[in-house]
């Protein structure tokens, strides 16, 4: 699960990670009032969406199509303003908030359609001497949490890794010993820090590690981590993702969920206990079992086409779940054909067939549908499909099914 920057900062603050004062706002007046409470002379108004690259992003309603296309590629655009704005009075805070709320921000990470800004974060302006990158994530190959840092703050770590991999410094945290001060100092020296900044940085990383463990996070990214003119260390941006399987013990984090930011299909799938992940292709897949779903996606790719989703209806799905799965697949406008590939073990083929027929009758069928059933009651299932008189192409083997659906979408 992902959260907004202001929410990640609320979490990090509890663990003692140093931050600028800041408050979220959903109206321009709230933003101005927040600035007055925060005090000072400089504020930054930041669009809150579940995507990074906001500073370089541009608003769909405010600039030309060419500028939006460039913003979606993460390029610097002269036209218009981004999603992170520097202001010098609370009136200006109000005006900049008004200019962003309700508008659609396109960044390198949102895709061309962009995301609607429903909240802004008003934060005290920071005296930036240096911008660094710092993240924490699980290194599965070492079974340890890894802290990763680079002096190229503001840049995406993927770009740094590609252009200058030596600039990325890493330390691994022993789960028994915890994050040790010497590791923080090593990282600080590797990054060229000196004086009291070294100890500020060491404390910062230690606090981040406590937050990582304490919230069952899977990733924390601070980009940029800033060294201020006074030598302090501050998290100026914060991105956190949490382990979905551990959310049951973090009610406060679950409350931060913003359903506007989630794919509607994935949300509905969650309600029906279906594992659904939207992908970029055009062949919708309905499969039972994650392994079979993976091999179905593989064979579609092998035949030269792309799956539109991963969907595992599970081993014991009923008719209603099958119908829900079908609705979710067909509501994705990118889907030009559907492949149902089910092995009836615990779940019987006739139940699947009934579910598919019910769903097709309910939502209609605008695209080709290939159904391959195998297993318990397969003959009854096939018979039901044939008797339904619906435009369903039956297939006996996975190979045949994949050929049929790829041909049907013209791929
Ligand atoms: P994004 O990564 O989505 O573009 P950031 O939060 O990293 O958003 O902000 C982009 C840039 O804006 C930062 O690299 C920093 O230079 C500047 N910035 C962000 N917050 C502040 C702040 N509170 N004070 C001063 N500058 C800021
Ligand atoms: Mg950032």
């Amino acid at each position: 699960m992902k959260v907004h920057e202001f929410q990640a900062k609320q979490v990090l603050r509890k663990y003692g990670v140093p931050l600028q004062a800041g408050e979220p706002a959903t109206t321009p007046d709230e933003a101005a009032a927040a600035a007055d409470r925060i005090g000072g002379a400089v504020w930054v108004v930041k669009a809150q969406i579940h995507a990074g690259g906001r500073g370089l992003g541009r608003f769909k309603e405010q600039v030309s199509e060419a500028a939006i296309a460039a913003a979606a590629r993460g390029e610097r655009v002269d036209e218009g303003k981004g999603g992170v704005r520097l202001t010098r009075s609370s009136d200006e805070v109000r005006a900049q908030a008004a200019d962003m709320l309700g508008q659609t921000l396109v960044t390198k990470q949102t895709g061309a359609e962009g995301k609607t800004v429903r909240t802004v974060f008003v934060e005290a302006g920071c005296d930036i001497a240096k911008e660094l990158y710092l993240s924490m994530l699980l290194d599965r190959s070492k079974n340890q949490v890894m802290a990763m840092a680079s002096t190229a703050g503001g840049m995406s770590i993927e770009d740094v890794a590609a252009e200058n991999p030596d600039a990325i410094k890493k330390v691994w945290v022993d789960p028994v010993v915890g994050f040790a001060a010497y590791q923080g100092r090593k990282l600080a020296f590797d990054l060229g820090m000196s004086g009291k900044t070294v100890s500020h940085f060491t404390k910062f990383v230690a606090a981040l590690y406590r937050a990582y463990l304490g919230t069952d996070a899977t990733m924390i990214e601070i980009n940029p981590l800033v060294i201020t003119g006074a030598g302090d260390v501050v998290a100026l941006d914060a991105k956190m993702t949490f382990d979905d399987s551990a959310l049951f013990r973090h009610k406060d984090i679950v409350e931060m969920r913003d359903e506007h930011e989630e794919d509607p299909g994935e949300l509905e799938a969650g309600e029906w206990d279906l594992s659904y992940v939207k992908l970029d292709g055009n062949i919708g897949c309905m499969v039972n079992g994650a392994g079979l779903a993976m091999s179905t996606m593989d064979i579609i790719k092998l035949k030269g086409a792309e799956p539109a989703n991963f969907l595992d209806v599970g081993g014991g799905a009923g008719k209603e779940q099958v119908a829900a799965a079908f609705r979710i697949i067909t509501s994705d406008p990118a889907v030009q054909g559907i492949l149902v590939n089910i092995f009836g073990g615990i779940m019987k083929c006739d139940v699947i067939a009934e579910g598919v027929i019910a769903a097709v009758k309910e939502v209609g069928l605008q695209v080709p549908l290939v159904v391959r059933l195998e297993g318990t009651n397969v003959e009854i299932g096939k018979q039901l499909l044939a008797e339904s008189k619906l435009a369903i192409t039956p297939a006996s083997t996975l190979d045949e099914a994949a050929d049929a659906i790829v041909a049907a979408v013209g791929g």
Side-chain angles (χ1 to χ4, degrees), residues 61-343:
E61 295 84 353
Q62 300 174 3
V63 298
S64 67
E65 261 175 51
I68 284 297
R73 290 191 298 268
E75 291 166 14
R76 226 163 255 288
V77 177
D78 289 333
E79 197 187 330
K81 285 185 185 171
V84 177
R85 299 181 183 181
L86 198 72
T87 57
R88 296 185 184 278
S89 71
S90 59
D91 282 339
E92 213 187 321
V93 168
R94 182 186 290 105
Q96 295 304 333
D99 200 45
M100 291 196 274
L101 286 163
Q103 308 279 295
T104 315
L105 183 57
V106 174
T107 80
K108 195 180 180 182
Q109 293 180 13
T110 62
E113 69 273 24
K115 288 195 158 168
T116 309
V117 177
R118 292 182 169 82
T119 306
V120 293
F121 185 50
V122 182
E123 191 173 60
C126 178
D127 170 21
I128 302 173
K130 214 168 179 188
E131 296 198 348
L132 306 168
Y133 172 99
L134 176 68
S135 66
M136 210 167 259
L137 66 163
L138 182 67
D139 181 345
R140 288 169 197 274
S141 67
K142 296 207 178 193
N143 297 326
Q144 290 185 337
V145 174
M146 175 176 76
M148 185 159 73
S150 101
T151 48
M155 255 176 100
S156 94
I157 197 69
E158 293 81 6
D159 293 342
V160 181
E163 285 165 28
N164 188 7
D166 291 341
I168 301 176
K169 312 293 178 194
K170 298 172 179 174
V171 296
W172 287 266
V173 186
D174 184 298
V176 177
V177 179
F179 182 79
Y182 80 85
Q183 294 183 299
R185 287 195 291 273
K186 176 168 190 323
L187 209 48
F189 292 134
D190 282 349
L191 295 166
M193 293 177 198
S194 60
K196 66 179 177 154
T197 306
V198 173
S199 90
H200 289 322
F201 179 79
T202 299
K203 284 189 189 124
F204 185 106
V205 186
L208 210 63
Y209 183 66
R210 284 197 301 274
Y212 187 96
L213 288 191
T215 60
D216 292 304
T218 50
M219 195 272 305
I220 306 181
E221 188 180 64
I222 308 297
N223 188 20
L225 171 144
V226 157
I227 301 172
T228 68
D232 291 323
V233 176
V234 175
L236 220 50
D237 190 5
K239 192 189 264 185
M240 281 185 95
T241 48
F242 303 95
D243 184 348
D244 290 332
S245 304
L247 285 176
F248 71 92
R249 53 185 187 190
H250 300 288
K251 293 222 162 47
D252 50 337
I253 291 168
V254 174
E255 278 169 17
M256 293 179 171
R257 169 160 261 146
D258 182 350
E259 297 196 341
H260 294 298
E261 294 286 339
E262 294 177 24
D263 178 77
E266 289 179 19
L267 268 181
E268 196 187 347
E271 286 162 21
W272 288 95
D273 271 334
L274 306 165
S275 310
Y276 171 85
V277 181
K278 180 161 162 41
L279 302 168
D280 295 331
N282 59 355
I283 298 180
C285 305
M286 184 164 102
V287 189
N288 65 338
L292 190 58
M294 298 295 270
S295 42
T296 305
M297 289 162 51
D298 280 349
I299 200 159
I300 288 172
K301 281 179 165 282
L302 191 68
K303 303 284 180 188
E306 291 289 328
N309 66 276
F310 166 98
L311 196 159
D312 171 11
V313 294
K319 220 166 76 177
E320 287 77 22
Q321 264 169 309
V322 171
F326 205 80
R327 272 201 306 277
I328 292 166
I329 294 175
T330 49
S331 62
D332 176 357
V335 169
Q336 292 171 349
I338 301 171
L339 173 58
V340 175
N341 182 28
I342 304 271
F343 175 74

